[in-house]
Amino acid sequence: MEIVGQIFSIIGMALTIISFQMKTKKQILLIQTVGSAFFLASYVLFASWAAVCLNIVFLIRNTVFYFKDKKWASHGVWLYLILALVIAAGALGFNTYWDIVPIIGSIFGTVAAYMKNENMFRLLKLGDSPCWLIYNISIPSIGGTICEAINIVSILVGLIRYRKYGFSKTERMP
């Protein structure tokens, strides 16, 4: 089962890395949602329960923030609700002190996913990826480890490629 888990994590890796090269936030979130589903399956096979619970929240988070332009998903309360879910999911799946690291990263990732500006999203994900890199090394997850190492590079390339360094003044917390 571990080999299948590694295969799922490698598929999730490929999707996540590609996502940071997408132009719009909706495209990024869509591809990352599919990648999260593969990572979820891999973490189930690795019995990494904190990561399983967090990836379930990511599926919800990405779906809500994908539809942020719709009235039902536009309210700022979603950010705080999903942050609470991240902390609760991490606590629910908590097994070792290593499980704290992806919770911290997931807080960065959730705030990033809330942002409207794609480059602000990418910038905040630089707080997310190193945490998951450390966690994936500790499991070990080959796809997850390689993914986060390359994600950092992919995020930086995306920031340079799209060069929107002037972040909107509307990018404030609700």
Side-chain angles (χ1 to χ4, degrees), residues 85-103:
L85 286 173
V86 163
I87 293 167
L92 181 65
F94 185 84
N95 191 32
T96 71
Y97 287 109
W98 286 112
D99 294 335
I100 294 170
V101 180
I103 297 168

Side-chain angles (χ1 to χ4, degrees), residues 2-171:
E2 186 174 322
I3 292 172
V4 175
Q6 296 292 356
I7 291 168
F8 284 161
S9 73
I10 290 168
I11 294 168
M13 170 195 74
L15 291 166
T16 304
I17 291 167
I18 291 167
S19 75
F20 290 110
Q21 298 309 309
M22 299 293 106
K23 187 170 184 175
T24 69
K25 186 172 157 222
K26 278 192 159 199
Q27 293 169 332
I28 295 169
L29 286 174
L30 180 63
I31 293 173
Q32 283 194 356
T33 302
V34 178
S36 287
F38 278 98
F39 276 119
L40 171 62
S42 75
Y43 290 129
V44 166
L45 296 172
F46 296 143
S48 299
W49 303 116
V52 167
C53 294
L54 288 168
N55 273 272
I56 290 169
V57 173
F58 298 165
L59 295 174
I60 296 165
R61 173 193 75 191
N62 291 355
T63 301
V64 169
F65 293 156
Y66 180 86
F67 291 107
K68 194 174 171 188
D69 57 340
K70 305 292 183 201
K71 185 173 176 137
W72 67 270
S74 65
H75 199 282
V77 74
W78 279 107
L79 174 62
Y80 298 107
L81 178 62
I82 294 172
L83 284 170
L85 286 173
V86 163
I87 293 167
L92 181 65
F94 185 84
N95 191 32
T96 71
Y97 287 109
W98 286 112
D99 294 335
I100 294 170
V101 180
I103 297 168
I104 294 167
S106 299
I107 291 168
F108 275 101
T110 297
V111 174
Y114 179 79
M115 294 295 149
K116 186 176 182 179
N117 181 289
E118 294 84 3
N119 270 3
M120 182 60 83
F121 174 85
R122 289 180 185 96
L123 192 62
L124 286 167
K125 288 295 275 187
L126 286 174
D128 184 18
S129 284
C131 293
W132 280 96
L133 175 64
I134 293 165
Y135 181 73
N136 284 316
I137 290 169
S138 77
I139 292 177
S141 167
I142 295 167
T145 300
I146 295 169
C147 175
E148 297 305 339
I150 295 173
N151 270 352
I152 293 167
V153 174
S154 183
I155 291 167
L156 292 171
V157 168
L159 283 166
I160 292 166
R161 246 178 102 198
Y162 293 109
R163 291 189 179 112
K164 286 197 246 176
Y165 296 117
F167 300 118
S168 169
K169 290 181 182 179
T170 61
E171 291 294 339

